[in-house]
Amino acid sequence: MIELEGVPELIDPVMVAAFEGWNDAGDAASTAVAHLEREWKGEVFAALDAEDYYDFQVNRPTVYMDGGVRKITWPTTRLSVVRVGGDKPRDLVLVRGIEPSMRWRSFCNELLGFAHELGVEMVVILGALLGDTPHTRPVPVSGVTSDPDLARTMDLEETRYEGPTGIVGILQEACTHAGVPAVSLWAAVPHYVSQPPNPKATLALLNRLEDLIDLRIPLGELAEDARAWQVGVDQLASEDSEVAEYVQTLEEARDTAELPEASGEAIAREFERYLRRRDGGPGGQGHATELGDSSYLRDTSSGRTRPAKPPKAGEAEPAGREEGGLEQPPAPDAPDQDSPAHDSGRETRSQDGPGRDSPGSPGQDAPESPDSSED
């Protein structure tokens, strides 16, 4: 049994998790959880033992100086709790880390142990993948679950995906088998501008999470960052006629596909979000749990900094740019939404573009697309 001294009893807690790596295109998902930690001043109360789950030749530790003393930050997964006030208070358990290198079943069981001890009512796992979506349109976000009852009550897709999966899919299935309601939210990131950060995709994930758990999320500078990111990509695309033509093709395909769905439901959802923000709904007074000196506390130094702000027009190179320009898109004659690929975005990508026979990195399988209904 996991002993959590110093952690108070939580109110209707929801666990929100994201993992860097294969299921985190543009770092959109992990940045979303980092944003929640930052805005609500979450404090880490526990960390999984890095020795158990990580290959340090794949995910290397980092050395830093603290007051003239050299210290080491180990790659791991950390948990924090934030208490969100308002008319309907609700607590969140935030899980942020790196996709483990080994022992995935034990990894999921340990996270579920925390969920059980904390009384978590639902687990929401955030992910992001590369797809044939234009950067000029709203980011598509798909909500999927393995629970048919949950799919009906929360207007989600019931997953039908078959194929290679990442820790997001494994954790969702572990939750289902343990009887814990679980939902995955997937944002589609344009494959031709895949390098992190992608604040527009992060913003889309947070908006969908806000709708799902009925909690107002403070956005800080994220909306401004998303606009600046799009302006920068717009400028680069306009300087390359081939990329501009490809983006236009994606826009036409997207607009045609969404025309029948541009109706009441989407408009009502946006209007409800507007009213929630205007009226200062729940979520405006989030704060960190006072945890004190917990005996379970270990390895709490994350060594992370706030993700870099996206470049504005005429400044630094935006995400996805390689050697002075955007990734060249593949020929626009055969976009395949069924298999967009993604890795951490830190290694050189194939010029063929993800979502086709060649995934994001050599020798790496492609993760699931929203159309594939990843679990």
Side-chain angles (χ1 to χ4, degrees), residues 43-66:
E43 293 182 3
V44 175
F45 68 88
L48 305 190
D49 192 339
E51 293 280 350
D52 291 341
Y53 305 114
Y54 295 98
D55 180 347
F56 297 140
Q57 289 184 319
V58 176
N59 297 290
R60 293 187 176 274
T62 57
V63 179
Y64 67 100
M65 300 296 294
D66 182 11

PDB file of all heavy atoms in Angstrom, residues 43-66:
ATOM      1  N   GLU A  43       2.653  21.744  -6.418  1.00  0.00           N
ATOM      2  CA  GLU A  43       3.913  21.314  -5.822  1.00  0.00           C
ATOM      3  C   GLU A  43       4.011  19.799  -5.906  1.00  0.00           C
ATOM      4  O   GLU A  43       3.073  19.081  -5.543  1.00  0.00           O
ATOM      5  CB  GLU A  43       3.994  21.757  -4.358  1.00  0.00           C
ATOM      6  CG  GLU A  43       4.074  23.261  -4.187  1.00  0.00           C
ATOM      7  CD  GLU A  43       4.213  23.655  -2.734  1.00  0.00           C
ATOM      8  OE1 GLU A  43       4.303  22.736  -1.885  1.00  0.00           O
ATOM      9  OE2 GLU A  43       4.228  24.854  -2.447  1.00  0.00           O
ATOM     10  N   VAL A  44       5.140  19.325  -6.384  1.00  0.00           N
ATOM     11  CA  VAL A  44       5.351  17.888  -6.522  1.00  0.00           C
ATOM     12  C   VAL A  44       5.334  17.229  -5.151  1.00  0.00           C
ATOM     13  O   VAL A  44       5.997  17.692  -4.226  1.00  0.00           O
ATOM     14  CB  VAL A  44       6.679  17.603  -7.242  1.00  0.00           C
ATOM     15  CG1 VAL A  44       6.966  16.102  -7.278  1.00  0.00           C
ATOM     16  CG2 VAL A  44       6.659  18.178  -8.657  1.00  0.00           C
ATOM     17  N   PHE A  45       4.562  16.142  -4.992  1.00  0.00           N
ATOM     18  CA  PHE A  45       4.553  15.419  -3.731  1.00  0.00           C
ATOM     19  C   PHE A  45       5.143  14.021  -3.845  1.00  0.00           C
ATOM     20  O   PHE A  45       5.410  13.365  -2.835  1.00  0.00           O
ATOM     21  CB  PHE A  45       3.135  15.331  -3.156  1.00  0.00           C
ATOM     22  CG  PHE A  45       2.197  14.457  -3.951  1.00  0.00           C
ATOM     23  CD1 PHE A  45       2.096  13.094  -3.700  1.00  0.00           C
ATOM     24  CD2 PHE A  45       1.401  15.000  -4.946  1.00  0.00           C
ATOM     25  CE1 PHE A  45       1.234  12.295  -4.421  1.00  0.00           C
ATOM     26  CE2 PHE A  45       0.531  14.209  -5.663  1.00  0.00           C
ATOM     27  CZ  PHE A  45       0.445  12.850  -5.403  1.00  0.00           C
ATOM     28  N   ALA A  46       5.347  13.532  -5.061  1.00  0.00           N
ATOM     29  CA  ALA A  46       5.929  12.201  -5.223  1.00  0.00           C
ATOM     30  C   ALA A  46       6.530  12.078  -6.614  1.00  0.00           C
ATOM     31  O   ALA A  46       6.139  12.788  -7.545  1.00  0.00           O
ATOM     32  CB  ALA A  46       4.879  11.112  -5.013  1.00  0.00           C
ATOM     33  N   ALA A  47       7.491  11.181  -6.743  1.00  0.00           N
ATOM     34  CA  ALA A  47       8.115  10.891  -8.027  1.00  0.00           C
ATOM     35  C   ALA A  47       8.401   9.405  -8.106  1.00  0.00           C
ATOM     36  O   ALA A  47       8.796   8.790  -7.108  1.00  0.00           O
ATOM     37  CB  ALA A  47       9.397  11.696  -8.201  1.00  0.00           C
ATOM     38  N   LEU A  48       8.170   8.816  -9.264  1.00  0.00           N
ATOM     39  CA  LEU A  48       8.465   7.397  -9.440  1.00  0.00           C
ATOM     40  C   LEU A  48       9.979   7.189  -9.477  1.00  0.00           C
ATOM     41  O   LEU A  48      10.728   8.073  -9.903  1.00  0.00           O
ATOM     42  CB  LEU A  48       7.831   6.875 -10.724  1.00  0.00           C
ATOM     43  CG  LEU A  48       6.317   7.099 -10.890  1.00  0.00           C
ATOM     44  CD1 LEU A  48       5.806   6.301 -12.087  1.00  0.00           C
ATOM     45  CD2 LEU A  48       5.551   6.729  -9.633  1.00  0.00           C
ATOM     46  N   ASP A  49      10.415   6.032  -9.045  1.00  0.00           N
ATOM     47  CA  ASP A  49      11.843   5.723  -9.031  1.00  0.00           C
ATOM     48  C   ASP A  49      12.351   5.579 -10.461  1.00  0.00           C
ATOM     49  O   ASP A  49      11.953   4.664 -11.188  1.00  0.00           O
ATOM     50  CB  ASP A  49      12.083   4.435  -8.244  1.00  0.00           C
ATOM     51  CG  ASP A  49      13.560   4.205  -7.949  1.00  0.00           C
ATOM     52  OD1 ASP A  49      14.409   4.786  -8.645  1.00  0.00           O
ATOM     53  OD2 ASP A  49      13.861   3.428  -7.023  1.00  0.00           O
ATOM     54  N   ALA A  50      13.234   6.491 -10.854  1.00  0.00           N
ATOM     55  CA  ALA A  50      13.722   6.494 -12.235  1.00  0.00           C
ATOM     56  C   ALA A  50      14.436   5.198 -12.587  1.00  0.00           C
ATOM     57  O   ALA A  50      14.414   4.758 -13.750  1.00  0.00           O
ATOM     58  CB  ALA A  50      14.657   7.686 -12.450  1.00  0.00           C
ATOM     59  N   GLU A  51      15.091   4.550 -11.619  1.00  0.00           N
ATOM     60  CA  GLU A  51      15.834   3.314 -11.879  1.00  0.00           C
ATOM     61  C   GLU A  51      14.917   2.205 -12.402  1.00  0.00           C
ATOM     62  O   GLU A  51      15.363   1.317 -13.121  1.00  0.00           O
ATOM     63  CB  GLU A  51      16.522   2.839 -10.604  1.00  0.00           C
ATOM     64  CG  GLU A  51      17.641   3.743 -10.117  1.00  0.00           C
ATOM     65  CD  GLU A  51      18.947   3.520 -10.876  1.00  0.00           C
ATOM     66  OE1 GLU A  51      19.018   2.545 -11.647  1.00  0.00           O
ATOM     67  OE2 GLU A  51      19.880   4.314 -10.685  1.00  0.00           O
ATOM     68  N   ASP A  52      13.658   2.252 -12.018  1.00  0.00           N
ATOM     69  CA  ASP A  52      12.740   1.164 -12.354  1.00  0.00           C
ATOM     70  C   ASP A  52      12.235   1.213 -13.792  1.00  0.00           C
ATOM     71  O   ASP A  52      11.849   0.179 -14.348  1.00  0.00           O
ATOM     72  CB  ASP A  52      11.526   1.182 -11.410  1.00  0.00           C
ATOM     73  CG  ASP A  52      11.882   0.804  -9.991  1.00  0.00           C
ATOM     74  OD1 ASP A  52      12.955   0.192  -9.799  1.00  0.00           O
ATOM     75  OD2 ASP A  52      11.107   1.130  -9.071  1.00  0.00           O
ATOM     76  N   TYR A  53      12.213   2.400 -14.396  1.00  0.00           N
ATOM     77  CA  TYR A  53      11.465   2.546 -15.645  1.00  0.00           C
ATOM     78  C   TYR A  53      12.228   3.185 -16.805  1.00  0.00           C
ATOM     79  O   TYR A  53      11.722   3.187 -17.922  1.00  0.00           O
ATOM     80  CB  TYR A  53      10.196   3.374 -15.387  1.00  0.00           C
ATOM     81  CG  TYR A  53       9.332   2.804 -14.299  1.00  0.00           C
ATOM     82  CD1 TYR A  53       9.136   3.488 -13.106  1.00  0.00           C
ATOM     83  CD2 TYR A  53       8.730   1.557 -14.449  1.00  0.00           C
ATOM     84  CE1 TYR A  53       8.339   2.964 -12.097  1.00  0.00           C
ATOM     85  CE2 TYR A  53       7.941   1.020 -13.449  1.00  0.00           C
ATOM     86  CZ  TYR A  53       7.750   1.725 -12.272  1.00  0.00           C
ATOM     87  OH  TYR A  53       6.974   1.198 -11.273  1.00  0.00           O
ATOM     88  N   TYR A  54      13.413   3.735 -16.569  1.00  0.00           N
ATOM     89  CA  TYR A  54      14.063   4.504 -17.621  1.00  0.00           C
ATOM     90  C   TYR A  54      15.441   3.966 -17.974  1.00  0.00           C
ATOM     91  O   TYR A  54      16.197   3.545 -17.101  1.00  0.00           O
ATOM     92  CB  TYR A  54      14.165   5.985 -17.228  1.00  0.00           C
ATOM     93  CG  TYR A  54      12.808   6.629 -17.110  1.00  0.00           C
ATOM     94  CD1 TYR A  54      12.198   6.774 -15.865  1.00  0.00           C
ATOM     95  CD2 TYR A  54      12.123   7.047 -18.243  1.00  0.00           C
ATOM     96  CE1 TYR A  54      10.938   7.331 -15.756  1.00  0.00           C
ATOM     97  CE2 TYR A  54      10.863   7.603 -18.141  1.00  0.00           C
ATOM     98  CZ  TYR A  54      10.268   7.741 -16.892  1.00  0.00           C
ATOM     99  OH  TYR A  54       9.017   8.287 -16.796  1.00  0.00           O
ATOM    100  N   ASP A  55      15.729   3.980 -19.273  1.00  0.00           N
ATOM    101  CA  ASP A  55      17.058   3.682 -19.787  1.00  0.00           C
ATOM    102  C   ASP A  55      17.796   5.012 -19.889  1.00  0.00           C
ATOM    103  O   ASP A  55      17.450   5.865 -20.712  1.00  0.00           O
ATOM    104  CB  ASP A  55      16.931   3.010 -21.163  1.00  0.00           C
ATOM    105  CG  ASP A  55      18.278   2.671 -21.777  1.00  0.00           C
ATOM    106  OD1 ASP A  55      19.313   3.163 -21.275  1.00  0.00           O
ATOM    107  OD2 ASP A  55      18.298   1.917 -22.765  1.00  0.00           O
ATOM    108  N   PHE A  56      18.804   5.195 -19.066  1.00  0.00           N
ATOM    109  CA  PHE A  56      19.466   6.488 -18.991  1.00  0.00           C
ATOM    110  C   PHE A  56      20.357   6.782 -20.197  1.00  0.00           C
ATOM    111  O   PHE A  56      20.868   7.895 -20.333  1.00  0.00           O
ATOM    112  CB  PHE A  56      20.277   6.593 -17.700  1.00  0.00           C
ATOM    113  CG  PHE A  56      19.425   6.516 -16.470  1.00  0.00           C
ATOM    114  CD1 PHE A  56      19.844   5.804 -15.357  1.00  0.00           C
ATOM    115  CD2 PHE A  56      18.190   7.142 -16.414  1.00  0.00           C
ATOM    116  CE1 PHE A  56      19.063   5.732 -14.221  1.00  0.00           C
ATOM    117  CE2 PHE A  56      17.389   7.070 -15.291  1.00  0.00           C
ATOM    118  CZ  PHE A  56      17.822   6.366 -14.188  1.00  0.00           C
ATOM    119  N   GLN A  57      20.542   5.788 -21.070  1.00  0.00           N
ATOM    120  CA  GLN A  57      21.225   6.075 -22.336  1.00  0.00           C
ATOM    121  C   GLN A  57      20.245   6.609 -23.376  1.00  0.00           C
ATOM    122  O   GLN A  57      20.658   7.199 -24.371  1.00  0.00           O
ATOM    123  CB  GLN A  57      21.899   4.809 -22.873  1.00  0.00           C
ATOM    124  CG  GLN A  57      23.112   4.380 -22.059  1.00  0.00           C
ATOM    125  CD  GLN A  57      23.811   3.181 -22.656  1.00  0.00           C
ATOM    126  OE1 GLN A  57      23.155   2.232 -23.117  1.00  0.00           O
ATOM    127  NE2 GLN A  57      25.126   3.202 -22.655  1.00  0.00           N
ATOM    128  N   VAL A  58      18.960   6.411 -23.138  1.00  0.00           N
ATOM    129  CA  VAL A  58      17.930   6.958 -24.018  1.00  0.00           C
ATOM    130  C   VAL A  58      17.450   8.305 -23.483  1.00  0.00           C
ATOM    131  O   VAL A  58      17.341   9.286 -24.218  1.00  0.00           O
ATOM    132  CB  VAL A  58      16.746   5.974 -24.145  1.00  0.00           C
ATOM    133  CG1 VAL A  58      15.629   6.595 -24.991  1.00  0.00           C
ATOM    134  CG2 VAL A  58      17.205   4.662 -24.752  1.00  0.00           C
ATOM    135  N   ASN A  59      17.117   8.339 -22.196  1.00  0.00           N
ATOM    136  CA  ASN A  59      16.718   9.578 -21.531  1.00  0.00           C
ATOM    137  C   ASN A  59      17.779   9.903 -20.478  1.00  0.00           C
ATOM    138  O   ASN A  59      17.745   9.382 -19.363  1.00  0.00           O
ATOM    139  CB  ASN A  59      15.347   9.403 -20.857  1.00  0.00           C
ATOM    140  CG  ASN A  59      14.251   9.125 -21.857  1.00  0.00           C
ATOM    141  OD1 ASN A  59      13.860   9.993 -22.620  1.00  0.00           O
ATOM    142  ND2 ASN A  59      13.754   7.905 -21.856  1.00  0.00           N
ATOM    143  N   ARG A  60      18.709  10.737 -20.854  1.00  0.00           N
ATOM    144  CA  ARG A  60      19.873  10.973 -20.000  1.00  0.00           C
ATOM    145  C   ARG A  60      19.561  11.967 -18.875  1.00  0.00           C
ATOM    146  O   ARG A  60      18.814  12.927 -19.071  1.00  0.00           O
ATOM    147  CB  ARG A  60      21.050  11.494 -20.825  1.00  0.00           C
ATOM    148  CG  ARG A  60      21.594  10.456 -21.799  1.00  0.00           C
ATOM    149  CD  ARG A  60      22.853  10.909 -22.489  1.00  0.00           C
ATOM    150  NE  ARG A  60      23.378   9.840 -23.349  1.00  0.00           N
ATOM    151  CZ  ARG A  60      24.185   8.878 -22.930  1.00  0.00           C
ATOM    152  NH1 ARG A  60      24.585   8.863 -21.669  1.00  0.00           N
ATOM    153  NH2 ARG A  60      24.598   7.947 -23.759  1.00  0.00           N
ATOM    154  N   PRO A  61      20.148  11.747 -17.697  1.00  0.00           N
ATOM    155  CA  PRO A  61      20.027  12.735 -16.619  1.00  0.00           C
ATOM    156  C   PRO A  61      20.765  14.016 -16.994  1.00  0.00           C
ATOM    157  O   PRO A  61      21.620  14.011 -17.889  1.00  0.00           O
ATOM    158  CB  PRO A  61      20.684  12.030 -15.424  1.00  0.00           C
ATOM    159  CG  PRO A  61      21.603  11.018 -16.029  1.00  0.00           C
ATOM    160  CD  PRO A  61      20.962  10.580 -17.312  1.00  0.00           C
ATOM    161  N   THR A  62      20.435  15.096 -16.333  1.00  0.00           N
ATOM    162  CA  THR A  62      21.080  16.376 -16.603  1.00  0.00           C
ATOM    163  C   THR A  62      21.747  16.888 -15.322  1.00  0.00           C
ATOM    164  O   THR A  62      21.272  16.641 -14.212  1.00  0.00           O
ATOM    165  CB  THR A  62      20.076  17.427 -17.097  1.00  0.00           C
ATOM    166  OG1 THR A  62      19.029  17.574 -16.124  1.00  0.00           O
ATOM    167  CG2 THR A  62      19.463  16.996 -18.419  1.00  0.00           C
ATOM    168  N   VAL A  63      22.849  17.594 -15.509  1.00  0.00           N
ATOM    169  CA  VAL A  63      23.593  18.169 -14.392  1.00  0.00           C
ATOM    170  C   VAL A  63      23.386  19.678 -14.405  1.00  0.00           C
ATOM    171  O   VAL A  63      23.383  20.306 -15.466  1.00  0.00           O
ATOM    172  CB  VAL A  63      25.095  17.836 -14.506  1.00  0.00           C
ATOM    173  CG1 VAL A  63      25.873  18.457 -13.358  1.00  0.00           C
ATOM    174  CG2 VAL A  63      25.311  16.340 -14.538  1.00  0.00           C
ATOM    175  N   TYR A  64      23.187  20.258 -13.222  1.00  0.00           N
ATOM    176  CA  TYR A  64      23.028  21.706 -13.136  1.00  0.00           C
ATOM    177  C   TYR A  64      23.689  22.204 -11.854  1.00  0.00           C
ATOM    178  O   TYR A  64      24.010  21.426 -10.942  1.00  0.00           O
ATOM    179  CB  TYR A  64      21.540  22.089 -13.169  1.00  0.00           C
ATOM    180  CG  TYR A  64      20.747  21.648 -11.956  1.00  0.00           C
ATOM    181  CD1 TYR A  64      20.451  22.538 -10.930  1.00  0.00           C
ATOM    182  CD2 TYR A  64      20.289  20.331 -11.851  1.00  0.00           C
ATOM    183  CE1 TYR A  64      19.731  22.141  -9.819  1.00  0.00           C
ATOM    184  CE2 TYR A  64      19.563  19.922 -10.750  1.00  0.00           C
ATOM    185  CZ  TYR A  64      19.283  20.842  -9.732  1.00  0.00           C
ATOM    186  OH  TYR A  64      18.572  20.435  -8.631  1.00  0.00           O
ATOM    187  N   MET A  65      23.888  23.519 -11.791  1.00  0.00           N
ATOM    188  CA  MET A  65      24.525  24.141 -10.640  1.00  0.00           C
ATOM    189  C   MET A  65      23.473  24.813  -9.774  1.00  0.00           C
ATOM    190  O   MET A  65      22.605  25.540 -10.269  1.00  0.00           O
ATOM    191  CB  MET A  65      25.559  25.172 -11.097  1.00  0.00           C
ATOM    192  CG  MET A  65      26.681  24.610 -11.955  1.00  0.00           C
ATOM    193  SD  MET A  65      27.705  23.409 -11.069  1.00  0.00           S
ATOM    194  CE  MET A  65      28.458  24.466  -9.822  1.00  0.00           C
ATOM    195  N   ASP A  66      23.531  24.568  -8.482  1.00  0.00           N
ATOM    196  CA  ASP A  66      22.613  25.170  -7.533  1.00  0.00           C
ATOM    197  C   ASP A  66      23.433  25.779  -6.398  1.00  0.00           C
ATOM    198  O   ASP A  66      23.905  25.067  -5.505  1.00  0.00           O
ATOM    199  CB  ASP A  66      21.644  24.116  -6.992  1.00  0.00           C
ATOM    200  CG  ASP A  66      20.632  24.710  -6.023  1.00  0.00           C
ATOM    201  OD1 ASP A  66      20.549  25.951  -5.934  1.00  0.00           O
ATOM    202  OD2 ASP A  66      19.919  23.935  -5.356  1.00  0.00           O
TER     203      ASP A  66
END
